[in-house]
Amino acid sequence: MYIVLVYDAGPKRGQKILKYLRQNLTWVQNSVFEGECTKSKYSEIKYELKRMIDKNKDSIIIYSFDSMKYNEREI
């Protein structure tokens, strides 16, 4: 599976999330990560991020794709 993850968090939590995501996905831009992962790794990432955020102040959006066959990336 391929995922694109976007987050917005307070400064302290944001640094913690950034550090964690850099270990698991590829950094694209400020607060944007992408990469291939297994379904179990995807579940692990979601679980860890839920533990790090404040649901009332932070947001995380994850786009997941089963296949990159119909995806086009333009920079």
Side-chain angles (χ1 to χ4, degrees):
M1 115 183 323
Y2 192 84
I3 64 171
V4 176
L5 186 145
V6 180
Y7 73 92
D8 183 24
K12 281 189 176 183
R13 289 182 304 280
Q15 289 298 317
K16 198 173 191 179
I17 292 169
L18 174 69
K19 184 177 180 180
Y20 174 75
L21 290 174
R22 281 193 170 175
Q23 296 171 3
N24 293 284
L25 297 170
T26 302
W27 178 70
V28 179
Q29 289 185 346
N30 290 340
S31 304
V32 180
F33 287 82
E34 66 182 13
E36 291 277 345
C37 65
T38 62
K39 290 188 185 252
S40 62
K41 188 64 173 177
Y42 178 62
S43 296
E44 177 189 319
I45 289 170
K46 288 194 318 183
Y47 174 78
E48 290 299 326
L49 291 175
K50 282 181 184 178
R51 292 181 52 221
M52 291 181 199
I53 67 167
D54 179 338
K55 292 180 183 180
N56 297 317
K57 297 179 182 176
D58 306 330
S59 71
I60 296 176
I61 300 170
I62 303 173
Y63 301 93
S64 61
F65 307 92
D66 288 332
S67 168
M68 292 301 291
K69 184 175 181 179
Y70 301 108
N71 187 359
E72 182 178 332
R73 183 172 187 223
E74 213 174 301
I75 299 175

